[in-house]
Amino acid sequence: MKELGMYCQQEDCEVINLIINIITPKKGGVPGFNAYHVIETLKFLKNKDAGRPFLSKYLNLGEASVKTMLKRLKENNLIIQIGKHNKLTKNGEMVLKFFESKLNIFESKLNIEGLEDCLILVLEMNPPKDLTSIYKIRDQIISSSCKIAVVGFIDNKNLGFPGLPDYLQNELINCSKKYSYIVNRGVNIITPRYCMQSLYSFYINIMSQCCLFK
């Protein structure tokens, strides 16, 4: 997604490539976990120790998938095992700090069917004002597990949702404007709450493409 003008620094790319390495299939086996599970595990272990059975229930993942994920986190020095529990290393804290500062996802509510409880992702990039760019972003987010995504632009603090009628744009703008101030120019993506995993995957994907063109 080079044409959308994502900006990424070398240290950003190092973290993104690390996460991609952790979630990439090895020896032909597709892992049951994704970037969302990795980052949420780091978040949890920031303040509490936890073992595999608890994390399996917490993440709604099979124990085999959690076991593989924890193994890869240890191999990459993001966590350390103490007895039957795991905790963050300094490297794990650094990776988590990156996502806490860069991945801007907010919870909100809308009077729109399917988006009553929604998430808003705000990213800094060239504003996607034409419908081709809007649809390209939407199509990357929508999957079998995320069926709704509304994409808008932020340009000098102005918000817009091309292709939508005025009454819907007004509703979306009113919902989003208190969060969009964090970037001057960028994209505003609204999904149902259940699409959290898709938003994480989209962020990793778009950042990885930015890193390819560095």
Side-chain angles (χ1 to χ4, degrees), residues 39 98-105 121 123 199-200 203:
I39 298 164
F98 168 84
F99 284 103
E100 288 179 334
S101 65
K102 300 282 188 176
L103 191 51
N104 301 305
I105 298 178
L121 171 63
L123 290 179
L199 292 181
Y200 275 65
Y203 178 76

Side-chain angles (χ1 to χ4, degrees), residues 136-180:
K136 186 174 292 188
I137 293 174
R138 185 199 62 186
D139 291 346
Q140 286 200 43
I141 298 170
I142 291 178
S143 64
S144 59
S145 60
C146 182
K147 298 180 180 179
I148 302 174
V150 182
V151 179
F153 67 84
I154 305 166
D155 193 0
N156 293 318
K157 309 302 182 182
N158 294 314
L159 280 76
F161 293 86
L164 296 180
D166 289 344
Y167 77 95
L168 276 180
Q169 287 211 49
N170 291 336
E171 176 88 18
L172 296 167
I173 289 170
N174 287 335
C175 170
S176 305
K177 61 185 178 182
K178 63 181 177 181
Y179 306 113
S180 63

Side-chain angles (χ1 to χ4, degrees), residues 54-97:
F54 178 86
L55 288 172
S56 177
K57 293 180 181 179
Y58 180 73
L59 298 170
N60 194 28
L61 278 177
E63 285 205 36
S65 293
V66 173
K67 180 180 180 180
T68 301
M69 179 181 66
L70 293 176
K71 178 183 177 183
R72 295 186 184 182
L73 292 176
K74 292 170 192 170
E75 291 172 347
N76 287 276
N77 193 30
L78 298 186
I79 66 172
I80 186 172
Q81 185 171 352
I82 301 176
K84 294 185 178 181
H85 288 185
N86 302 278
K87 65 182 298 183
L88 283 190
T89 62
K90 292 294 184 183
N91 283 344
E93 291 176 1
M94 179 273 293
V95 169
L96 179 58
K97 185 176 181 181

